[in-house]
Amino acid sequence: MSRFDAVTCLGCGCSCDDIAVTVEGASITSAERACPLGVRWFGDGGASSAARIGSRSVDSTTALAELGQRLSASAGARRTMIYLAAELTVAGQRAAVALADRLHARLDSVSSDSVAGGILAAQRRGRCGATLGELRERVDVAVYWAVDPAERYPRFVERYLPRKGRRVIAVDVGPTRGPADADERLLVEPGQEIDVLSVIRAASGGRPLEQRPGVLARAAEIGKTLASAKYVAIVYDAEPGEQPRDAGRAEGLTALAQGLNTPTRAALCGLRGGGNRVGAEQVMTWQTGYPMCVDFSSGAPGYRPGQPASALVAAGVVDLLVVAGDFRSVPAGVIAGLRPGQIAVIGPGATSAAPADAIAIDTGRAGIHEGGVAFRMDDVTIPLTAVLPGSLTVADALAQLGGIAPGSR
Amino acid sequence: MSSLRIKGGKVHDPANNVDGKIQDICVRDGKIVDTLPADTPVLDATGLVVMAGGVDIHSHVAGSSCNHVRRLLPEEHAADPVPAPRLLDGEGPARSGSGGTVPSTFTTGYRYAGLGYTTVFDAAVAPTGARHTHLELNDTPILDAGFYALLGNDRFLLDQIARGEREKAREYVAWVLGATGAYAVKIVNPGGVEQWKNGSRNVSSIDDQVGAGKTTPRAILETLTDAANALQLPHPVHIHCNNLGQAGNVATTLATLQALSGRRSHLTHLQFHAYGGGNGQPWISGAPQLVEYIDAHPEVSVDVGQVMFGNATTVTADSPVEYLLSASSGRKWVNVDIELETGCGIVPYTYKEKAAVAALQWAVGLELFLLSKDPWRVVLSTDHPNGGTFHSYPELIRLLMDRSWRDEVLKRVNQKMLAGSKLLDGIAREFTLNEIAIISRAGPARQLGLTTKGHLGIGADADITLYAPDADYARMFATPRYVIKGGVIVVEEGQLRRAPVGRRLRVTPAYDASIGKDLKTHFDKHGTVAFANFPVSQELMGPGGGR
């Protein structure tokens, strides 16, 4: 039996790194302090190390050779999409970007179909944020905007914004509710969301407002409350949920957080999903300059934020989708419309999750079978521990592929 | 490894008192050696100027703050796409990237080397962000690189100072540097960033109280300066003073210098801290006052932080300054408060010739260079990308070497705030090639304690740049004919042909292990990263040993 302390969980973007993992034989038998989501994420640590080409079982070298040939045939590789799914270490993400660069391919990640609105808002306006430790120490008023972290980020409150000593304001947008134990609630109809944000921002800035009815009057009061706080955290779910949201939400919240820094201090905190999704944006940004939607077809990275992977697939301009990471995290729109044989997956559980006609190569899972680094939801890096031995890593597989697939130059 | 004789070049190696002498430089196994066999391959340097590779003492190239800038400015990258360079066969795949004020990592390495620079330090890294910086430096080829760890607004340190535990503070400094793989201590607006984060906005003098504790910027400066010197770090504390960018801030800067009198210290981007006026009086240059002090105090070194006209991006841990700049400029703004350690603020900015303050800043920087008597202690920087990007270094060198060109530019700029300035009165000085070698290589290396960098003596790293003489000094320094890094020719005939991996420059000072107990308690109470997970792994720190 082996025990590993201070292990990082990538079950959600909280990336809690206080997990004590016990391993017996080849299995994880406990993950102390992990939330239910984390316990599921660790599972028993079992991992397949198979590979297949369609339904034909092969070894990973054979599968990679076949994928290399298909890459060569993919219209000079310029109709190839390298796609960063979740559950990759930074090393895996670096290797994926390098391959896309070499192939003059398209490059994207799960971010373009999930958090693009927030990324683009921040590129237009900038942003005011804080790391989670800073929030825990400073915040006296927390606004949960249409999110209850307990649902998808179970330990967020416990670890980063404990309830005690804070005033909590829940803004419920339609059926999307904030925390049940909030000190104050504001119920907003979905169509009113941007108006409410504007009124809160104006009131917090001390601008005189004409008398407003109902929810807008309450919004003005909340604006004054925020302006008199010491440090405000505005928490929202940056990842897509089941309920539709106003496309202007991210920009409105960004503007509100920035504006609050004149009367007081404030930060916007976007909750992010697990599996080191943030890392994909970070690596793409430092290697290309862009956090998503990159086009290498000219030989240098171009930014195509209006052309996420899902749109390119829908337009029929992707001949080969190479997914690095956990295929189960890929949005349906990215896969829909691809023909048989146009998908290859290199990642944990690939042979069981990928379509029957795909090339699939199993790897270990980042943070369980592979050590390295991941980014927390607040852009802070956290080390990953390999608590179980793994077979192939995504980085190694992609490096092998890079040696096989001819570049277009 | 290979050997090479660089034959017949005109060598400018001020650290070894060589000023334009025609001589050979012998390279073997990445080092400069005394002699080589007669049949050693020769690089004909006849007619070329030979200097050590450039050493940038203060830049912002890698890590969380730089990536915030990159993410903020896609429009800059779109205007400057960078295809992969064509390296020689067998030299590994090169990488494409993008430019702008903060280029992508691979492009940063290629472009610095393309200017003849081979050693670069990132001047501001939050300890929590060190792992990120190492990741980016691992993707920044060619350069030997390191970074300075941001201290002076961090809760643990402020608590020690408030309790009078200065020895414990020193042990903490040693631990942080080793755990993060940093090279030196950086102080940014001591106490002021903490004030911004706790809602008190900023400090305005070095004797203001910080937070609720018995701490002041003066105490922070003294504690960290003494710690760095007691630990015998190769580079002393690297100080970004309080009141950056404020009219009248020369008084604060002088107070800082006087507070640290007799102690070895380095003040960075001094230009941004060298303004007179204020309190209703117009801005004026404070450069002469600072130069007078620095000339008389050999324990002090500075880098200038020259402003260059054109696009820049201000990025600093001095987040209250960026709040003000955002409000006054209306440009987009990033603020990130970091983990009870420090902050980060970003505002893109354009320095315009016709803007009075920008013109004053430009003039102040040039005065610092031109009035100083000791170029070894007043070295080149633009605080890339704050005062201008590293791409502008050749133009800055031209301004220093060519008075007629300087005067021509001076005629174009807004002179409203320059009345009575030394520059407007006329400064005849023109830097020599040896003086350029001092401010861009030998001086920074000496201030950094890099004994094998910045010179061409026996045992030095074979980091060498060869320039073709040109009356247009900007053109000369923008396009080195050859750049050699660690004995490898990376630029040949002006083309990047090889891109070897650079080394990491860092220190591992000894410390009393008992500090670990206090730190563990602090992390358990205030941290969100486990104490055990804070140190950066040796594997991630990359190849070391550059000193």
Side-chain angles (χ1 to χ4, degrees):
Chain A
M1 187 176 80
S2 305
R3 181 185 163 94
F4 299 85
D5 291 316
V7 174
T8 301
C9 168
L10 294 183
C12 75
C14 288
S15 308
C16 302
D17 72 336
D18 62 344
I19 313 298
V21 174
T22 302
V23 170
E24 294 184 40
S27 298
I28 294 172
T29 54
S30 75
E32 294 172 35
R33 289 187 285 279
C35 65
L37 194 157
V39 169
R40 282 201 302 277
W41 183 80
F42 280 105
D44 65 3
S48 164
S49 56
R52 61 177 169 81
I53 301 170
S55 59
R56 180 164 57 97
S57 292
V58 295
D59 59 32
S60 61
T61 303
T62 304
L64 286 166
E66 172 66 19
L67 178 53
Q69 287 189 6
R70 292 194 193 177
L71 284 169
S72 304
S74 177
R78 293 181 187 210
R79 293 165 71 92
T80 298
M81 166 69 71
I82 306 294
Y83 191 86
L84 279 70
E87 310 296 342
L88 292 171
T89 64
V90 165
Q93 291 159 341
R94 291 173 71 237
V97 179
L99 180 66
D101 188 2
R102 179 185 171 126
L103 295 172
H104 290 194
R106 293 275 190 156
L107 172 70
D108 205 355
S109 80
V110 292
S111 298
S112 68
D113 278 305
S114 55
V115 297
I119 290 172
L120 295 173
Q123 290 182 327
R124 285 188 292 270
R125 304 189 58 90
R127 69 190 187 96
C128 282
T131 65
L132 297 169
E134 196 76 36
L135 293 180
R136 191 174 74 179
E137 291 290 321
R138 309 280 184 193
V139 169
D140 63 333
V141 175
V143 179
Y144 288 91
W145 195 279
V147 65
D148 181 353
E151 295 173 6
R152 300 207 303 168
Y153 311 92
R155 296 185 72 200
F156 177 82
V157 170
E158 167 205 332
R159 275 177 62 80
Y160 305 128
L161 272 181
R163 182 68 177 81
K164 188 178 176 186
R166 293 188 173 86
R167 182 169 186 78
V168 169
I169 300 172
V171 178
D172 305 325
V173 179
T176 314
R177 311 276 294 183
D181 64 346
D183 299 298
E184 192 175 342
R185 312 195 76 82
L186 183 67
L187 180 60
V188 178
E189 295 300 324
Q192 291 180 303
E193 190 175 358
I194 303 306
D195 288 343
V196 166
L197 272 167
S198 300
V199 169
I200 294 175
R201 186 176 166 210
S204 67
R207 274 178 270 168
L209 294 169
E210 58 189 65
Q211 198 64 31
R212 303 290 183 98
V215 67
L216 296 182
R218 290 280 319 286
E221 289 304 312
I222 286 175
K224 292 174 190 169
T225 299
L226 300 186
S228 62
K230 287 180 68 178
Y231 198 120
V232 178
I234 304 171
V235 181
Y236 80 114
D237 195 339
E239 302 281 351
E242 293 179 0
Q243 300 295 331
R245 65 179 60 177
D246 194 303
R249 177 187 292 174
E251 183 130 14
L253 292 170
T254 300
L256 174 59
Q258 288 182 313
L260 280 168
N261 280 285
T262 293
T264 183
R265 293 302 327 283
L268 180 63
C269 174
L271 302 173
R272 297 294 309 271
N276 193 25
R277 291 156 194 254
V278 174
E281 293 156 32
Q282 291 282 354
V283 173
M284 287 171 68
T285 301
W286 82 58
Q287 292 203 357
T288 74
Y290 308 116
M292 59 182 184
C293 302
V294 175
D295 177 4
F296 284 107
S297 62
S298 72
Y303 193 34
R304 311 283 182 264
Q307 298 175 3
S310 55
L312 292 172
V313 168
V317 296
V318 173
D319 288 342
L320 182 57
L321 176 74
V322 180
V323 174
D326 189 339
F327 188 74
R328 293 174 303 174
S329 66
V330 180
V334 175
I335 307 156
L338 287 172
R339 295 188 303 277
Q342 289 190 318
I343 297 177
V345 182
I346 303 170
T351 54
S352 58
D357 52 47
I359 296 175
I361 301 163
D362 289 333
T363 68
R365 185 172 294 274
I368 294 178
H369 311 99
E370 185 184 346
V373 180
F375 280 80
R376 208 166 60 181
M377 64 167 71
D378 58 350
D379 298 324
V380 166
T381 55
I382 306 281
L384 302 175
T385 306
V387 297
L388 286 168
S391 50
L392 191 64
T393 68
V394 171
D396 287 343
L398 292 172
Q400 285 184 44
L401 191 58
I404 298 166
S408 57
R409 68 191 67 126
Chain B
M1 291 183 71
S2 59
S3 299
L4 184 69
R5 183 188 304 279
I6 302 168
K7 189 172 179 58
K10 189 177 175 189
V11 176
H12 289 273
D13 182 18
N16 294 300
N17 298 311
V18 178
D19 185 2
K21 184 180 173 188
I22 306 292
Q23 64 181 54
D24 295 354
I25 303 291
C26 298
V27 173
R28 187 177 63 220
D29 296 342
K31 294 283 186 181
I32 292 174
V33 296
D34 191 11
T35 59
L36 287 169
D39 60 350
T40 299
V42 168
L43 175 62
D44 183 3
T46 304
L48 301 181
V49 168
V50 182
M51 294 185 181
V55 178
D56 198 338
I57 197 171
H58 187 106
S59 187
H60 300 275
V61 290
S64 175
S65 59
C66 289
N67 231 25
H68 284 309
V69 174
R70 296 187 190 103
R71 188 158 48 179
L72 180 68
L73 299 171
E75 62 274 19
E76 285 193 353
H77 308 313
D80 190 9
V82 185
R86 293 187 177 276
L87 303 183
L88 293 174
D89 288 346
E91 291 300 324
R95 298 295 303 276
S96 69
S98 57
T101 51
V102 178
S104 57
T105 51
F106 293 99
T107 299
T108 296
Y110 300 151
R111 285 188 168 176
Y112 253 114
L115 283 180
Y117 272 74
T118 50
T119 302
V120 176
F121 284 87
D122 190 291
V125 171
T128 291
R131 188 177 284 109
H132 183 164
T133 295
H134 284 291
L135 286 167
E136 288 199 18
L137 289 178
N138 289 342
D139 281 348
T140 306
I142 305 173
L143 304 174
D144 287 350
F147 64 85
Y148 312 147
L150 284 160
L151 299 173
N153 288 285
D154 41 332
R155 175 72 62 85
F156 186 85
L157 179 83
L158 298 184
D159 287 350
Q160 304 313 313
I161 295 172
R163 286 201 288 266
E165 297 271 15
R166 294 201 179 190
E167 289 185 6
K168 203 170 271 186
R170 183 190 65 222
E171 300 304 306
Y172 164 67
V173 168
W175 174 81
V176 168
L177 295 175
T180 60
Y183 188 79
V185 173
K186 173 72 176 298
I187 309 175
V188 169
N189 185 6
V193 180
E194 165 59 22
Q195 293 295 85
W196 165 249
K197 296 198 298 180
N198 70 27
S200 304
R201 309 312 275 192
N202 207 339
V203 295
S204 59
S205 88
I206 67 168
D207 292 310
D208 284 5
Q209 182 175 307
V210 177
K214 297 171 184 172
T215 312
T216 61
R218 181 188 297 275
I220 296 167
L221 288 161
E222 290 174 350
T223 302
L224 288 174
T225 302
D226 289 344
N229 291 334
L231 293 169
Q232 298 183 307
L233 300 180
H235 185 52
V237 279
H238 195 95
I239 302 169
H240 158 146
C241 293
N242 303 107
N243 289 334
L244 179 144
Q246 304 293 315
N249 64 8
V250 68
T252 306
T253 309
L254 283 167
T256 301
L257 286 164
Q258 286 154 1
L260 300 178
S261 179
R263 298 164 160 109
R264 189 173 174 233
S265 61
H266 180 93
L267 267 59
T268 189
H269 41 64
L270 194 66
Q271 176 279 131
F272 286 111
H273 305 271
Y275 314 132
N279 289 326
Q281 300 299 309
W283 296 52
I284 58 171
S285 171
Q289 292 167 265
L290 290 174
V291 168
E292 182 181 1
Y293 186 96
I294 293 161
D295 279 344
H297 290 79
E299 73 274 21
V300 177
S301 61
V302 305
D303 63 88
V304 168
Q306 176 68 33
V307 154
M308 301 296 287
F309 297 118
N311 287 338
T313 298
T314 63
V315 50
T316 173
D318 199 342
S319 31
V321 165
E322 296 290 14
Y323 167 76
L324 295 174
L325 189 60
S326 162
S328 64
S329 71
R331 304 284 295 265
K332 49 190 178 180
W333 167 48
V334 169
N335 182 87
V336 183
D337 296 337
I338 302 172
E339 211 72 4
L340 295 183
E341 287 179 349
T342 183
C344 171
I346 300 164
V347 177
Y349 199 74
T350 303
Y351 297 98
K352 297 176 181 172
E353 290 179 350
K354 296 305 180 190
V357 171
L360 176 71
Q361 292 177 307
W362 175 82
V364 166
L366 292 178
E367 286 182 356
L368 290 170
F369 280 117
L370 295 166
L371 298 176
S372 169
K373 291 179 182 159
D374 186 357
W376 289 92
R377 293 187 294 114
V378 181
V379 300
L380 187 151
S381 76
T382 61
D383 188 13
H384 162 82
N386 283 279
T389 70
F390 67 84
H391 309 114
S392 66
Y393 293 173
E395 171 64 17
L396 172 55
I397 289 171
R398 185 183 186 194
L399 289 167
L400 297 174
M401 294 188 73
D402 183 345
R403 183 187 178 183
S404 64
W405 172 244
R406 189 165 68 228
D407 287 346
E408 204 173 303
V409 178
L410 182 60
K411 284 179 197 163
R412 298 203 304 256
V413 309
N414 187 320
Q415 299 189 353
K416 180 180 172 187
M417 294 181 176
L418 304 186
S421 75
K422 300 279 188 187
L423 194 70
L424 199 60
D425 288 349
I427 301 175
R429 183 175 179 185
E430 292 182 327
F431 272 48
T432 64
L433 282 171
N434 244 36
E435 286 175 319
I436 294 300
I438 292 170
I439 64 171
S440 60
R441 291 122 158 102
R446 179 178 290 182
Q447 303 313 331
L448 287 160
L450 292 169
T451 55
T452 63
K453 302 284 189 190
H455 72 96
L456 299 172
I458 309 304
D461 291 345
D463 300 347
I464 307 164
T465 306
L466 285 70
Y467 301 100
D470 191 322
D472 180 338
Y473 294 114
R475 195 163 53 203
M476 171 178 168
F477 280 92
T479 52
R481 183 72 61 83
Y482 293 94
V483 179
I484 296 162
K485 166 66 186 24
V488 175
I489 302 176
V490 295
V491 172
E492 286 185 36
E493 297 295 341
Q495 299 297 313
L496 188 73
R497 306 315 299 262
R498 297 176 184 85
V501 173
R503 290 177 298 177
R504 194 63 31 81
L505 299 165
R506 54 191 170 87
V507 296
T508 52
Y511 60 90
D512 182 344
S514 67
I515 191 73
K517 187 178 174 190
D518 292 334
L519 285 163
K520 174 79 165 53
T521 302
H522 174 80
F523 271 76
D524 288 347
K525 188 174 178 186
H526 300 294
T528 58
V529 176
F531 181 55
N533 285 333
F534 183 85
V536 180
S537 69
Q538 296 291 315
E539 179 188 4
L540 206 61
M541 291 182 187
R547 283 184 66 207

